Amino acid sequence: MRTKLLALAVVGGLALAACGNGTTGTPTGGSKQGDTLRIAIGVDPDTMDPMRQTTTTIQNIVQMVVETMVKIDTSGKVQPALATAWQTSSDGLTWTFTLRSGVKFSDGQPFNAAAVKANFDRVLDPASTCPLCGPMRGVKSVDVVDDTHVKLNLAKPIAPMLGLLTEVTFGIVAPASIQKGGSTYSDQEKPIGTGPYTLAERVKGDHVTLQRHDGYWGTKPNYKSQKFLIVPEAASREALVRAGQADVILLPPVSDLPALQRDSTVKVLLAPGDRTIFMAFNTQDSQQTLLQKPEVRQALNYAINKDQIIKSVLFGAASPMDAPMASTLFGYCKVGSYPYDVSKAKSMLQAAGASNLTINLVSPQGRYIQDFQAAQVIANDLTAVGVKVNGPRTMDWPSYLGTINVAPAKASVDMHLLGWAPGYLDASQAMVQFQSTQWPPAGLATSYYQNPEVDQLLAKANSESDQSQRATDYCTASKQIWKDAPWLFLWVQRFPIVYSSKVTGVQSIPNESFYTMYASPA
Amino acid sequence: MLTYVLRRFLVAIPTLWGVATVVFIMARLLPGDPARVIAGVLATQGDVDRIRRQMGLDQPLPVQYLDFLGSLLRLDLGRSAHTNAPVLEEIGSRLPYTIELAFVALVVAVVIGILAGVTAAVRRNSKTDLIISSLSVFGISMPVYWLGLMLIIVFAVGLHALPAAGADQPTSIVLPALTLALFSVGLIARMTRSSMLEVLGQDYIRTARAMGLGSGSVIFRHALRNALLPIITVIGLQVGSLLGGAVLTETIFAWPGVGRLLIDSIFFRDYPVVQGLVLMFGATFILVNLLVDLLYAYVDPRIRYS
Amino acid sequence: MSIRASATAESLGATALEPEVAAAVGPSLALRRLLHHRSAAAGLGVLGVYILAGLLGPLLFPFNPAQNHLVDVFLPPGRPGHLLGTDNYGRDELLLILNGMRYTLSLGLLAVAIGLVVGVPLGAISGYFGGWVDIVIQRFTDVLLAFPSIVLALALVAGLGPGLRNVVIAVGVSSVPAFIRLVRADTLRLRELAFVEAARALGAPPARILLRHVIANALAPVIVQATLQMGFAILVAAGLGFFGLGVQPPTPEWGELLGEARNYIFSDPKLATFPGLAIFGAVLAFNLVGDGLRDVLDPRLR
């Protein structure tokens, strides 16, 4: 009886501890402690300022230092972080957040509503450079209700507000370090946040080192420091983890995945991602008018052997698309598939009078996993159903963007490969690709897709406060888009992470982020 | 001596100006709109125009040119389009790494190259000569990037003996420096060999030998010193070659130097940084050549008075 | 200038040649001597194989970019039908190497041709006329020489865009200074010689003097330099291809193949080895031939 009570007490205590810090139930007591976790990444940070940062991996790192009001957990759900509760007014124009108490910045200053207001004022200031602030510009003002309550006043409803707030763009930095000199704010190259780590050292081009902050309000990480090595070559990253000179690496060469999976000294995590890879048709193509017909585009979708490409070219690092967005997004619903069927493709093309189609194709190289390689195989598949393919041509990324990001009248390619990864896992971000208001050069809807019904549905869903209604609207829109086939729907890329068997607790978040916060030596 | 120094300086100045002008022309010749590139993909036309005005790109070309020269004299190289940090800071934070790499490679190349070249010259047409000459020719024929990749496979992954990438371990410099030095070792060895052969065939060497001076003394005190002049020239030229080779080596070994910065900046279309780097390479080389010329004049008095 | 006068000048020149120029050797004798030079002969042999393979290879084994088997990927060498194995697309490695040869060779050739066509006349003019012309050309050369070849080539290609034509221009421009310097040095020496003075005295126009007397006699070191420069041009051009700034895929240029192979050094190191060896072989061959030419054409040249 006594042991039972004791056991209950222990379990109860652990449960309380787990609830009290907002982490997703990772056991902390008893994990081994470690010195430095070395992680090799492929991008060199251009800036450490959360407001200006647009690269997911760097945002990932900054998020270990600067926390947000809410965060995404490893399964993609929004969880409380610096805000513990929130309410919306019935018209959706006011959001009130209850802030966590007892939190301090790493320089000792208290975290409170004034700090939140100061940060919002900075990012929403028209003079600030905030590339990802667009969707948040509906916020008119921020009010401090009291120390632990803050109110956001909106000019129009912002449906994905919670999702937006998970982005480190809207992370909370120590207000004392936000100085306004004239009309510009000082750069935050060494941001001071409330997170479990602080930015200790940055050697441009070589590494970024984070140091554990022992005054952190939540569960402390197991590693005293995490060092991010900047290694642009994928094969070099693999060399590092194989030689034991790095503990975790991101994005190894995909062709080595089978061998790495067989290697007992490392573990491979094919993290679920949210990056859809597709080939956009020029649906307003004036040169190749046949592409304006949905039947032709559907036919071409049937011509591609996606499973074979995923197996042989991507080495299993992707899953076929079954909707115009990834399954990890809010608003996703499974729509269907275009199974590989050469005869069906040919007969559909013939029925549409498109048996002698000629198209040109471009693809980036090295931007997405095996992008150019896949494009070549796609070109072959198209040739096999009687299409005359010019290309795929490739070019470096800035030139590529310059080629596809043009108004329809200036479009010069019939099909191009692209990837799209929404940062905060909301359908509104994915659906940007299908809104006619987002045609280049205003936006990046490079297929120039236009369907008035879809436009209406999306406009409604994007401002709807009722989340379940939103989901329904997005689903209906998805089904229509799938039928209209403005894209060759290809696959959803996974995010391969390889780590040493001597390390455990390496997780991921489905927006192409790694989560090594609570990793520990094995 | 002083007049010679002054004269060499005076020659260097128009060359520096020429370098700056070439860089300016190249930067303006580039296709594409730098303002749009800097503004980024998601920028509106208004943003692009604002940036164009900010960068002075809407001014007539001669005005831009004078502004450019003026800012150079103030050592203001502008801001990086990619990171918004001053170009000088971007270059300055990485330059020490390249200097370290190039210096180590140069020392290795000079020491091994001269020793090898002298040995080959002294034992002319022997097996040793053949081996050294063959290795030298191999050295200048080998693609740096291939050698680098092979070394990584063998030493980092195969033997776990040396780091595969990065600059944070003390032994990190070994593989990149060896890779970088290879071409220069070959060149210096060849140069030393032929220069020494020429000198060893001279009358005064035969005289020294006839007078009974020991071989070592003959070689080092008499022959090598006179053979040094063209070798010094080659070493000076090698600095340029090493800087160029650093571009490839740094990329393969993830070494955080200016070579890698150049490649990255080209791929990001970060024109201010590319411009600054090309200028820096040019200026460095001119200065090194100047030093070599002065060293030359110091070693060979005849030049001073020509 | 009358035929008699020019013949006189040449005969005067022939007897008045300085010792170093007297050693200049006629073409047929040079070739014979070259073939006897062991390492140069080896280099010529390799080059011969390369040129033959480069010309015949694409005819016998044409490269079809649309053919991606995706079935026999990463085959090791020695399989039936794939002497050197296959790459990540299932393309035959030997096919790739054979078809890539002409790009590498022609890149080198064209680049050096630019260097010659631009550099030699400029060097001769600079050395012969002296004065302001010389100063301007020399400063221009200094500026070009101030940039390491690969940096200059990278910057030019970055601006002009990737592709065969721009690589040729970029590497060609970086080859020019060496020829200017070389020919100028020789011109300075030759211009003082009796036969040139005689030609001038006889009223020969400068262009003729430059062409028939100066450049013709400076030819030997230029040929040596051109051969050696070929090797170097190939390295720089392949370096640009390595970064993806050269001939674009799927065209199998060796530098580009080597650059793509970076991702596969663990799963299949041979994808880097064969293009690397191919480049190495070509450069080595040119260097050996160049060395041999130097030994044969003018033993007094360093």
Side-chain angles (χ1 to χ4, degrees), chain A residues 256-273:
Chain A
D256 295 338
L257 280 176
L260 286 169
Q261 280 159 332
R262 287 192 299 262
D263 187 341
S264 58
T265 60
V266 294
K267 293 207 172 54
V268 176
L269 172 59
L270 282 178

Side-chain angles (χ1 to χ4, degrees), chain A residues 236-398:
Chain A
S236 298
R237 291 198 291 277
E238 185 181 334
L240 283 174
V241 77
R242 279 182 163 201
Q245 291 157 4
D247 304 305
V248 182
I249 65 165
L250 305 182
L251 302 172
V254 252
S255 53
D256 295 338
L257 280 176
L260 286 169
Q261 280 159 332
R262 287 192 299 262
D263 187 341
S264 58
T265 60
V266 294
K267 293 207 172 54
V268 176
L269 172 59
L270 282 178
D274 63 340
R275 185 175 294 274
T276 48
I277 303 289
F278 54 90
M279 270 217 162
F281 292 105
N282 180 350
T283 60
Q284 308 290 335
D285 205 331
S286 49
Q287 308 244 0
Q288 183 50 270
T289 49
L290 284 166
L291 281 181
Q292 292 181 19
K293 289 190 181 184
E295 312 87 69
V296 173
R297 303 196 295 260
Q298 286 173 358
L300 294 179
N301 262 287
Y302 284 109
I304 311 298
N305 191 346
K306 297 165 269 286
D307 290 324
Q308 173 70 11
I309 298 178
I310 291 175
K311 190 162 104 120
S312 313
V313 181
L314 285 96
F315 297 91
S319 329
M321 270 172 90
D322 53 14
M325 66 182 95
S327 57
T328 45
L329 265 59
F330 168 81
Y332 159 83
C333 70
K334 181 167 165 163
V335 174
S337 68
Y338 280 100
Y340 177 53
D341 193 334
V342 172
S343 46
K344 182 162 185 180
K346 279 189 181 159
S347 56
M348 281 181 78
L349 282 174
Q350 202 165 29
S355 306
N356 286 327
L357 208 51
T358 310
I359 58 169
N360 63 20
L361 226 137
V362 291
S363 158
Q365 188 182 32
R367 176 94 186 160
Y368 312 110
I369 295 181
Q370 300 288 71
D371 44 15
F372 189 61
Q373 290 82 342
Q376 295 191 46
V377 180
I378 290 172
N380 282 356
D381 281 352
L382 290 175
T383 311
V385 295
V387 179
K388 181 158 170 349
V389 179
N390 289 324
R393 265 190 315 133
T394 188
M395 55 197 91
D396 62 290
W397 185 245

Side-chain angles (χ1 to χ4, degrees), chain A residues 76-380:
Chain A
K77 304 277 176 303
V78 171
Q79 298 284 351
L82 286 179
T84 52
W86 44 88
Q87 282 171 305
T88 344
S89 64
S90 48
D91 58 2
L93 294 178
T94 314
W95 284 76
T96 312
F97 289 91
T98 309
L99 304 175
R100 190 178 299 272
S101 47
V103 176
K104 287 209 172 76
F105 289 96
S106 57
D107 63 355
Q109 293 175 56
F111 163 73
N112 52 27
V116 173
K117 177 173 165 61
N119 272 278
F120 271 94
D121 286 343
R122 178 172 92 110
V123 299
L124 294 176
D125 189 314
S128 295
T129 310
C130 181
L132 297 178
C133 276
M136 195 62 101
R137 294 220 183 264
V139 173
K140 272 190 319 202
S141 60
V142 176
D143 295 332
V144 174
V145 175
D146 58 44
D147 251 5
T148 51
H149 289 86
V150 71
K151 205 157 66 150
L152 266 62
N153 304 310
L154 278 55
K156 54 182 168 81
I158 298 177
M161 170 65 81
L162 285 182
L164 278 170
L165 287 175
T166 62
E167 300 237 280
V168 79
T169 313
F170 307 107
I172 310 298
V173 166
S177 53
I178 303 176
Q179 288 143 351
K180 192 162 181 185
S183 62
T184 52
Y185 288 90
S186 56
D187 279 334
Q188 290 286 322
E189 288 303 326
K190 217 170 180 218
I192 298 173
T194 56
Y197 282 101
T198 59
L199 180 56
E201 186 188 43
R202 179 185 169 199
V203 175
K204 285 198 184 183
D206 194 55
H207 65 268
V208 173
T209 312
L210 302 182
Q211 199 74 26
R212 186 172 61 203
H213 165 53
D214 289 318
Y216 179 57
W217 57 267
T219 317
K220 319 257 180 307
N222 301 308
Y223 276 101
K224 255 211 300 223
S225 78
Q226 300 211 11
K227 185 171 182 180
F228 295 90
L229 309 167
I230 295 158
V231 184
E233 298 273 310
S236 298
R237 291 198 291 277
E238 185 181 334
L240 283 174
V241 77
R242 279 182 163 201
Q245 291 157 4
D247 304 305
V248 182
I249 65 165
L250 305 182
L251 302 172
V254 252
S255 53
D256 295 338
L257 280 176
L260 286 169
Q261 280 159 332
R262 287 192 299 262
D263 187 341
S264 58
T265 60
V266 294
K267 293 207 172 54
V268 176
L269 172 59
L270 282 178
D274 63 340
R275 185 175 294 274
T276 48
I277 303 289
F278 54 90
M279 270 217 162
F281 292 105
N282 180 350
T283 60
Q284 308 290 335
D285 205 331
S286 49
Q287 308 244 0
Q288 183 50 270
T289 49
L290 284 166
L291 281 181
Q292 292 181 19
K293 289 190 181 184
E295 312 87 69
V296 173
R297 303 196 295 260
Q298 286 173 358
L300 294 179
N301 262 287
Y302 284 109
I304 311 298
N305 191 346
K306 297 165 269 286
D307 290 324
Q308 173 70 11
I309 298 178
I310 291 175
K311 190 162 104 120
S312 313
V313 181
L314 285 96
F315 297 91
S319 329
M321 270 172 90
D322 53 14
M325 66 182 95
S327 57
T328 45
L329 265 59
F330 168 81
Y332 159 83
C333 70
K334 181 167 165 163
V335 174
S337 68
Y338 280 100
Y340 177 53
D341 193 334
V342 172
S343 46
K344 182 162 185 180
K346 279 189 181 159
S347 56
M348 281 181 78
L349 282 174
Q350 202 165 29
S355 306
N356 286 327
L357 208 51
T358 310
I359 58 169
N360 63 20
L361 226 137
V362 291
S363 158
Q365 188 182 32
R367 176 94 186 160
Y368 312 110
I369 295 181
Q370 300 288 71
D371 44 15
F372 189 61
Q373 290 82 342
Q376 295 191 46
V377 180
I378 290 172
N380 282 356

Side-chain angles (χ1 to χ4, degrees), chain B residues 58-120:
Chain B
D58 54 341
Q59 307 276 14
L61 224 53
V63 175
Q64 285 190 45
Y65 181 58
L66 289 172
D67 279 340
F68 173 70
L69 288 180
S71 59
L72 280 187
L73 287 173
R74 278 174 287 144
L75 282 182
D76 173 13
L77 294 171
R79 284 184 168 265
S80 159
H82 182 57
T83 69
N84 207 40
V87 172
L88 212 56
E89 179 189 310
E90 292 290 337
I91 296 180
S93 59
R94 291 171 168 84
L95 191 57
Y97 288 94
T98 302
I99 292 179
E100 183 192 339
L101 183 63
F103 182 71
V104 171
L106 186 65
V107 166
V108 166
V110 165
V111 167
I112 299 182
I114 291 187
L115 277 175
V118 165
T119 313

